[in-house]
């Protein structure tokens, strides 16, 4: 589908209103439903799934430390919008097709409310997965001010539920950040970037089969999904009319598998102020920002003195990343900023020279080093099946950090693609990356490094919950397990990988 770009205004999701709020906390109810919504003015409306009748769902805004309860309500039809592969883990014929469970990505949360993939529930909680514990989830929000997001996480169909539209922003704010005088209010705009394929009748297209169809299967999971059209906040190639002043944008890659490498065609700098889990030590001026699925970066863009101009946000990340196909005209453009609004008042917001204290965790603090491989395997249909540490989802738990300890996880990527690895609950720091000899490793199970130690990119110097593990490299992260105990997950955030079977449970022991 070729649709005229930059004719539709960027939608900004509304902020969710609570059912009630008192000194103990705040209670929300959020329904998931199927409805029709316009993704582009030249297309008929699209049937999507969303929260509170919106895709993306309403933005949930909370304070650091505020206790929040959310009743997530499944009011979806019993038939799925998209083709289900019943051969992948957790999606066999013995479970209902339409299952949901909500994960707040980046959340500091008890395990029973984390959105464990087997804690799914159906309409009216009629059926539930074996790890379902409660209808009302409780969030501690023991995080600094940060850009988080919520999305579906049901085992074996996460890629379909999220593609259908079950995604939204979850922003944590606090007085410390408010005192910094960053661009705020209508000058603080979240941007959720995704790719999709749309049929001429407006309906969502998701493949029933890979390019080489799998013999014997009506529907088969694909190795990765890459759409030919980019959307921001649920609108195809939108435009945003802005004032000639500074804006804060919260960039989120919410695509199934596509990486985005974002630039402005004006060549100007974006001042990154936050990573996945909060403000950085100091702002970093960058001309491009690479975001793998689920990564976030908050940036300040200054449109001062650019009155009347139009600035394009472009993307040039190959798919799969990093050695795949280049982008085309459609996937190479994200959205347009039109500096056409009059300045409503003098811009007094600032880009502070210092943002937040940040202390590097010392490697010596680690009591355990885990060597964890990212592996290619093949299933009984001859399809690629990606694994973590040679194990699938059903294998017994092997990562069992003790509460209060610090660990180094060495992610040994033996595959040809980059994988965004996400750990639930915790926030970590990246130590370094280093090339190694994959063939020798496969033969001898020993790591022979073939390159120098590479420090994290400037844009990664902060708290992270999702990190690129690049091909033929060992990526080391350092993690402190200090907020909750219980059963969580770690996984690749390319959703087609996560669903098959690049996801593992991990257990934080008391
Ligand atoms: Cu992956």
């Amino acid at each position: 589908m070729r649709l005229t770009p930059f004719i539709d205004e960027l939608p900004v999701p509304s902020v969710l209103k609570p059912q009630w709020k008192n000194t103990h906390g705040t209670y929300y109810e959020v329904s998931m439903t199927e409805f029709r919504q316009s993704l582009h003015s030249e297309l008929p409306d699209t049937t999507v799934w969303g929260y509170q009748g919106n895709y993306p769902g309403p933005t949930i805004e909370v304070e650091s430390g505020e206790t929040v309860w959310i009743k997530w309500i499944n009011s979806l039809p019993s038939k799925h919008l998209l083709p289900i592969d019943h051969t992948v883990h957790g999606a066999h014929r013995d479970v209902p097709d339409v299952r949901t469970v909500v994960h707040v990505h980046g959340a500091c949360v008890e395990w029973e409310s984390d959105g464990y993939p087997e804690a799914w529930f159906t309409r009216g909680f009629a059926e539930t997965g074996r790890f379902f514990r409660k209808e009302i989830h409780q969030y501690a929000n023991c995080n600094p001010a940060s850009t988080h997001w919520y999305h579906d996480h049901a085992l074996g169909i996460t890629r379909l539920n999220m593609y259908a539209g079950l995604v939204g922003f979850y922003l944590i704010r606090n007085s410390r950040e408010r005192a910094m005088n960053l661009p705020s209010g209508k000058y603080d705009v979240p941007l959720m970037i995704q790719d999709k394929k749309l049929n001429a009748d407006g309906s969502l297209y998701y493949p029933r089969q890979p390019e080489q169809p799998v013999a014997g299967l009506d529907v088969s999971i694909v190795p990765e999904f890459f759409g030919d059209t980019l959307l921001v906040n649920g609108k195809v190639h939108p435009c945003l009319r802005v004032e000639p002043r500074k804006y804060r944008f919260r960039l989120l890659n919410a695509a199934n598998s596509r990486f985005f490498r974002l630039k402005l065609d004006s060549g100007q700098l974006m001042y990154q102020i936050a990573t996945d889990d909060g403000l950085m030590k100091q702002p970093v001026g960058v001309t491009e920002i690479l975001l793998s699925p689920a990564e976030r970066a908050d940036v300040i863009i200054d449109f001062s003195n650019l009155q009347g101009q139009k600035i394009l946000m472009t993307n040039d990340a190959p798919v799969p990343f990093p050695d795949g196909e280049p982008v085309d005209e459609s996937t190479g453009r994200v959205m347009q900023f039109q500096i056409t609004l009059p300045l409503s008042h003098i811009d007094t917001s600032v880009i502070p020279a210092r943002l937040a204290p940040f202390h590097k965790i010392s490697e010596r603090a680690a009591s355990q080093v885990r060597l964890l491989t990212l592996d290619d395997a093949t299933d009984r249909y001859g399809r690629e099946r990606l694994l973590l540490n040679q194990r699938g989802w059903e294998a017994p738990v092997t990562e069992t950090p003790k509460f209060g300890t610090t660990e180094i996880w060495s992610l040994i990527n033996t595959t040809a693609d980059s994988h965004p690895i996400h750990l639930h609950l915790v926030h970590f720091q990246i130590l370094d990356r280093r090339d190694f000899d994959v063939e020798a490793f496969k033969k001898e199970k020993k790591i022979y490094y073939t390159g120098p130690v590479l420090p994290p990119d400037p844009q990664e110097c902060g708290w992270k919950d999702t990190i690129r593990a690049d091909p033929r490299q060992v990526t080391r992260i350092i993690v402190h397990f200090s907020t909750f105990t219980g059963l969580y997950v770690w996984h690749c955030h390319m959703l087609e990988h996560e669903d098959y079977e690049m996801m593992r449970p991990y257990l934080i022991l008391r």
Side-chain angles (χ1 to χ4, degrees):
M1 281 300 294
R2 281 292 180 264
L3 300 164
T4 312
F6 323 131
I7 57 171
D8 291 330
E9 283 256 10
L10 175 85
V12 177
S14 60
V15 175
L16 183 67
K17 293 205 171 48
Q19 299 288 317
W20 52 257
K21 188 180 182 88
N22 62 27
T23 51
H24 303 291
T26 312
Y27 174 70
Y28 295 94
E29 288 185 353
V30 182
S31 283
M32 296 166 242
T33 54
E34 179 175 299
F35 51 93
R36 292 170 70 79
Q37 180 174 315
S38 173
L39 305 188
H40 191 277
S41 53
E42 291 170 349
L43 266 186
D45 285 357
T46 303
T47 300
V48 294
W49 288 3
Y51 299 102
Q52 294 297 90
N54 286 287
Y55 151 64
T59 298
I60 298 173
E61 290 200 4
V62 308
E63 286 286 305
S64 294
E66 177 183 5
T67 302
V68 165
W69 296 274
I70 306 179
K71 185 173 186 179
W72 303 99
I73 302 162
N74 179 338
S75 302
L76 293 162
S78 58
K79 186 179 174 343
H80 209 289
L81 197 55
L82 300 166
I84 294 175
D85 177 349
H86 291 285
T87 68
V88 305
H89 64 26
H92 303 311
R93 300 271 180 196
D94 57 348
V95 291
D97 279 356
V98 177
R99 313 177 297 284
T100 58
V101 61
V102 185
H103 169 59
V104 177
H105 187 118
C108 169
V109 59
E110 56 174 11
W111 81 267
E112 298 92 333
S113 297
D114 184 48
Y116 195 77
E118 290 180 88
W120 51 261
F121 48 93
T122 61
R123 191 182 175 105
F125 301 102
E127 290 181 78
T128 55
R130 64 188 176 127
F131 285 96
F132 176 86
R133 291 293 181 276
K134 44 171 76 173
E135 291 186 4
I136 297 172
H137 290 189
Q138 177 174 326
Y139 301 91
N141 297 308
C142 43
N143 311 73
S146 43
T147 302
H148 292 173
W149 58 304
Y150 62 97
H151 62 75
D152 197 75
H153 215 307
L155 189 66
I157 53 169
T158 294
R159 69 194 184 289
L160 306 175
N161 288 356
M162 284 177 65
Y163 189 75
L166 293 174
V167 284
F169 278 101
Y170 189 103
L171 307 183
I172 301 180
R173 301 187 184 277
N174 61 27
S175 53
R176 195 192 137 72
E177 187 191 54
R178 272 191 286 272
M180 299 177 83
N181 197 21
L182 298 165
S184 61
K186 63 179 173 176
Y187 308 112
D188 174 0
V189 184
L191 300 177
M192 177 187 290
I193 309 171
Q194 297 178 298
D195 59 340
K196 296 199 188 291
K197 269 188 190 173
L198 299 166
N199 296 311
D201 65 0
S203 58
L204 290 174
Y205 172 84
Y206 190 89
R208 297 179 69 84
Q209 284 277 359
E211 271 172 43
Q212 297 285 329
V214 180
L217 290 182
D218 178 35
V219 176
S220 168
I221 193 165
V222 295
E224 289 105 14
F225 169 82
F226 300 117
D228 58 6
T229 302
L230 305 189
L231 297 89
V232 187
N233 295 349
K235 199 65 96 172
V236 172
H237 300 302
C239 65
L240 178 65
R241 291 187 295 151
V242 296
E243 298 179 24
R245 54 158 290 150
K246 292 187 282 298
Y247 280 73
R248 174 183 186 167
F249 294 105
R250 299 167 185 264
L251 304 169
L252 160 66
N253 180 342
N256 279 39
S257 281
R258 182 181 286 274
F259 286 46
F260 296 109
R261 190 162 54 203
L262 306 168
K263 280 185 209 164
L264 301 173
D265 73 343
S266 55
Q268 72 192 90
L269 291 177
M270 297 177 270
Y271 297 91
Q272 187 186 355
I273 57 168
T275 51
D276 297 340
D277 298 295
L279 293 169
M280 302 165 85
K281 190 173 182 183
Q282 65 238 343
V284 185
V286 289
T287 52
E288 62 177 44
I289 286 199
L290 176 61
L291 292 177
S292 64
E295 281 189 297
R296 287 89 72 206
D298 288 18
V299 297
I300 293 177
I301 300 179
D302 193 351
F303 299 113
S304 301
N305 304 316
L306 295 171
Q307 185 77 44
Q309 296 197 30
K310 291 175 178 171
I311 294 175
L312 182 64
M313 180 181 276
T314 62
N315 161 48
D316 69 353
V319 291
F321 193 84
D323 300 319
E325 298 288 313
V327 295
D328 61 17
E329 191 193 358
S330 171
T331 52
R333 64 186 173 214
V334 182
M335 64 175 290
Q336 189 183 59
F337 301 102
Q338 302 174 352
I339 304 110
T340 52
L341 295 179
L343 188 64
S344 54
H345 50 84
I346 293 170
D347 179 12
T348 55
S349 69
V350 293
I351 306 174
R354 288 271 171 273
L355 292 162
F358 177 78
H359 300 289
K360 273 191 171 178
I361 308 174
S362 165
E363 281 189 47
R364 280 174 313 208
S367 55
Q368 171 119 21
V369 176
R370 295 183 193 272
L371 304 180
L372 303 159
T373 54
L374 283 53
D375 316 293
D376 268 317
T378 307
D379 76 358
R380 63 198 167 103
Y381 298 98
R383 299 181 292 189
E384 182 180 54
R385 180 164 159 263
L386 291 150
L387 301 173
L388 294 172
N389 223 19
Q390 305 278 9
R391 291 169 179 84
W393 172 252
E394 296 286 345
V397 181
T398 42
E399 286 70 65
T400 55
K402 284 195 190 70
F403 181 82
T405 65
T406 301
E407 298 196 353
I408 292 172
W409 288 24
S410 286
L411 306 168
I412 305 164
N413 187 350
T414 70
T415 77
D417 295 330
S418 184
H419 300 272
I421 299 298
H422 171 46
L423 275 66
H424 283 212
L425 180 69
V426 292
H427 302 154
F428 52 77
Q429 296 175 11
I430 172 171
L431 292 171
D432 48 45
R433 296 188 176 90
R434 197 168 184 187
D435 288 345
F436 74 106
D437 185 332
V438 174
E439 290 315 310
F441 178 81
K442 283 181 177 171
K443 273 194 221 108
E444 303 175 37
K445 296 278 167 266
K446 270 181 75 176
I447 298 172
Y448 296 98
Y449 288 109
T450 57
V453 175
L454 304 171
D457 298 342
Q459 73 163 84
E460 299 172 321
C461 293
W463 291 103
K464 298 284 294 168
D465 57 45
T466 308
I467 195 75
R468 257 174 30 245
D470 285 335
R472 304 168 291 275
Q473 280 189 342
V474 176
T475 301
R476 297 193 314 142
I477 59 172
I478 188 160
V479 196
H480 190 47
F481 297 90
S482 62
T483 48
F484 285 96
T485 57
L487 189 61
Y488 294 88
V489 297
W490 67 287
H491 61 89
C492 175
H493 219 288
M494 289 165 81
L495 306 181
E496 284 72 26
H497 295 180
E498 167 180 345
D499 274 348
Y500 196 59
E501 308 227 343
M502 216 172 185
M503 178 161 71
R504 292 281 296 147
Y506 85 89
L507 181 64
I508 303 171
L509 302 170
R510 194 166 292 281

